[in-house]
Amino acid sequence: MKTPYKNIYNVLKLNRFIVLAVVVFAFLASTLSVWMAFTTHKSALNNAFAINTDGSIIPLKLVTQKENFRVEALAHLELFHTYFYNIDASNYERNLEKALWLGNSSIDNLYRQKKADGVYNRLLQYSLVQKVLSIDSRIIENNGSYSFTTTTIFEINRGSIIDTYELVSTGNLIMVNRNFPNNPHGLLITDYFENTLKKLNNEN
């Protein structure tokens, strides 16, 4: 008994289908490879890699990280200087307590020094109002560490007399865990120091 031959047209159709399937698959694979290579390249341009203490590689998004850090740092410094210097007899305890959350022992030591010098007693005794007018901070990066210089303009209202002062303070910033609402920006002021304090000429 003779083996019947397959229809030549069916064989050609099957071969054409296989060829088309292979071509389509190869095209999709090539497109996926190009896309993955482009994505990896783009990601590499915006990232740096650091070696952790256990030898693992940590990707760091440099551009975004620096931009976010600057915004957080400026907000943190403004918050601290507002709490620490915008005080009166009714709010100074509450504001100073909030300010102490934003810095390390250097802030606490300054607070204790001011308290020993009678700054807050005079605030209560004479019902003084110390109001912050402006806060201007400049952040400096040096090998991954951050320092700042802040110029704070504030006035002290003594009733019939209003004196305006300019305070220039410096310090460093380190990153810590966020603690909402006590430390919403996840930063801590260290080595804080009041460099200069001068009285400004009043226009009135």
Side-chain angles (χ1 to χ4, degrees):
M1 183 177 180
K2 294 182 179 181
T3 302
Y5 291 103
K6 293 183 179 179
N7 189 316
I8 187 66
Y9 295 107
N10 293 335
V11 174
L12 291 176
K13 286 182 180 180
L14 179 61
N15 288 344
R16 185 171 61 179
F17 174 77
I18 294 174
V19 170
L20 287 175
V22 171
V23 170
V24 171
F25 178 78
F27 176 77
L28 292 176
S30 299
T31 303
L32 180 61
S33 299
V34 171
W35 178 80
M36 290 182 64
F38 174 77
T39 303
T40 303
H41 176 68
K42 184 178 180 181
S43 177
L45 290 177
N46 293 326
N47 287 268
F49 299 90
I51 306 298
N52 200 0
T53 54
D54 59 1
S56 60
I57 298 177
I58 307 173
L60 302 173
K61 295 186 177 180
L62 292 179
V63 176
T64 303
Q65 184 187 47
K66 287 182 179 180
E67 290 178 352
N68 290 344
F69 179 86
R70 178 175 175 78
V71 172
E72 297 271 11
L74 291 175
H76 186 84
L77 292 171
E78 183 169 353
L79 190 63
F80 165 74
H81 286 84
T82 299
Y83 282 148
F84 202 75
Y85 297 104
N86 198 86
I87 54 177
D88 56 40
S90 65
N91 69 8
Y92 83 97
E93 289 184 330
R94 181 174 64 255
N95 280 10
L96 292 174
E97 181 181 356
K98 292 178 179 180
L100 291 175
W101 278 96
L102 306 178
N104 71 347
S105 58
S106 62
I107 303 295
D108 185 61
N109 292 337
L110 179 61
Y111 160 70
R112 293 177 184 275
Q113 179 185 336
K114 287 178 177 289
K115 187 175 182 180
D117 292 341
V119 172
Y120 305 119
N121 284 337
R122 288 194 293 273
L123 194 75
L124 293 173
Q125 184 178 357
Y126 300 106
S127 298
L128 304 180
V129 176
Q130 185 169 294
K131 180 181 179 181
V132 171
L133 302 178
S134 67
I135 300 170
D136 181 28
S137 296
R138 183 166 56 94
I139 301 170
I140 303 170
E141 179 188 2
N142 185 18
N143 295 327
S145 61
Y146 295 88
S147 61
F148 67 87
T149 300
T150 299
T151 301
T152 305
I153 307 295
F154 63 91
E155 64 180 20
I156 298 180
N157 189 326
R158 295 180 171 88
S160 59
I161 301 175
I162 299 178
D163 294 323
T164 305
Y165 297 87
E166 177 188 84
L167 170 69
V168 177
S169 56
T170 58
N172 298 316
L173 288 169
I174 61 174
M175 288 180 281
V176 296
N177 291 330
R178 295 178 190 270
N179 184 345
F180 187 84
N182 297 318
N183 191 334
H185 300 106
L187 295 170
L188 198 69
I189 297 171
T190 65
D191 305 313
Y192 185 73
F193 185 73
E194 293 181 342
N195 292 73
T196 61
L197 175 65
K198 68 178 181 179
K199 184 176 179 181
L200 303 179
N201 294 327
N202 293 325
E203 297 181 356
N204 50 352

